[in-house]
Each structure stands twice: as C-alpha cells, then as structure tokens.
Amino acid sequence: MPPRRRLSPADRRAQLLAVGARLFAARPYDDVLMEEVAEEAGVSRALLYRHFPSKHALFAAVYQEAADRLLAETRFDPADSLVEQLVQGMDVHLDYFVANRNAVLAANRVLAGDPVIQTIMTNELDALRARLLAVLPPADARTREAVSGALKSWLVFVQVLCVDWLTHETCTRTQLRDVCIGAAVGALRPLLPEDPAPEWPSGRTGGGA
C-alpha cells in the first residue's frame, strides 16, 4: 500500500471517488473490490468505509458525480440550431459512455432495479428534458405538454439504444448519434408549428466511426 497522505475529508472523498471511477470504468462492477479501492488510494479499509459504507454507496456517488459533470458539459444555447445542440449533447454523453463502458453497463444492467441509481438517471434525464424545452420555440401549454412527453420518451429511447450499442456495436458511433438525433427531430416535427430542424437530414454531419 502506498504511504497515506493526510488530506481534508473533502479532498479524501474526492480522491476515493476518482479511484472508484477509474476502477469501475476499467472492470465490470462485480470484479471491483473495496479492498482494491483502499489499496489504490493508499488508505485503510476502515477509512474507506468511513466515507462509503459499501461498494454500492461508492458506485452511486461515482455515478452521481458523472451525471452532474455530464449536465455541466451539455450546452444548450438558443443561438445554436436544435441539431447543433443535440449533436453537442450526444457527443458529450457518448464520450463518457465509451470511456466508461463498464460503469454505464453496471448502472443500466447489473443495478438496473436499484432505486438509488434509477433516481440519479431519472434526475439527469429530467434536467436534460427541461433544458431542451427551454431552447425550443415558444408554444402554448398544450403543445409544450405534448413536446415534454415526446422528449421524455426520446431520452429513454436514447438511453436504451446506447446501452445496447455498448453491448453490441452494430453500427458506428456517428450512425448511432444520427439515429438518436433523427428520432428527436421526427418526434418533434408533428407537434411544433414550425420545423425545429429544417436542415435535417441535409445538414447531418454524417461520416466516420
């Protein structure tokens, strides 16, 4: 075990989260041991358990931190077109999914029925839906309710499709992203008085992997 460095409680928690995130990204959830987290961090198991009483608690904290970071990095700017905003948001999330495949699969498969993990996911999806609603053209209350429902269903569709893609890459990453964006545009067009993405599909970025 490396020599233990004296850190403030906040800094120690951040260090343990960083070690946990690295290990959960590198290996399946069941293969990550708390003893290994403690060893990698250079702390005793007692100290690790003081911050995180179980592997589940550590994973939940790691996943919450990732969700917060993804929301912070997902930019919705009314000055950009809907397609530009969707491309940026999809790329941010796909970057994380690819780099943290094991963690994403753990949250969506191994811990699929866990209420804590599901709450983290639901809160992030709700925040993304609210941001998308805020940058779409103004509409009456009934239309906004219909659009909100379509966006909620679309976000779940994207989540399921991306998890399946991580398990079996049946298409390129760009094709996956374009399928998701096309589904959003197709869902919103019948509901809005103006085409939310007149450049689609002619404006697709398309292309490589």
Side-chain angles (χ1 to χ4, degrees), residues 99-120:
N100 297 272
R101 176 181 175 276
N102 285 306
V104 175
L105 291 178
N108 287 274
R109 295 280 171 86
V110 180
L111 301 172
D114 183 84
V116 175
I117 302 302
Q118 287 304 310
T119 297
I120 294 171

Side-chain angles (χ1 to χ4, degrees), residues 87-198:
V87 166
Q88 192 272 340
M90 286 296 306
D91 280 343
V92 165
H93 281 74
L94 287 172
D95 283 346
Y96 175 79
F97 293 166
V98 171
N100 297 272
R101 176 181 175 276
N102 285 306
V104 175
L105 291 178
N108 287 274
R109 295 280 171 86
V110 180
L111 301 172
D114 183 84
V116 175
I117 302 302
Q118 287 304 310
T119 297
I120 294 171
M121 291 182 183
T122 299
N123 289 343
E124 189 202 357
L125 295 183
D126 284 346
L128 290 170
R129 176 169 47 131
R131 292 186 185 185
L132 280 168
L133 276 171
V135 298
L136 287 171
D140 59 61
R142 184 176 180 182
T143 299
R144 285 185 65 81
E145 184 176 358
V147 169
S148 179
L151 287 173
K152 181 177 182 178
S153 298
W154 174 74
L155 286 164
V156 173
F157 163 79
V158 170
Q159 180 182 20
V160 171
L161 191 62
C162 288
V163 170
D164 285 347
W165 180 79
L166 287 174
T167 306
H168 304 289
E169 292 187 25
T170 54
C171 63
T172 68
R173 170 178 161 155
T174 299
Q175 288 170 330
L176 172 70
R177 186 190 67 191
D178 282 356
V179 166
C180 293
I181 294 171
V185 172
L188 295 176
R189 273 179 173 155
L191 299 174
L192 296 172
E194 295 183 10
D195 189 340

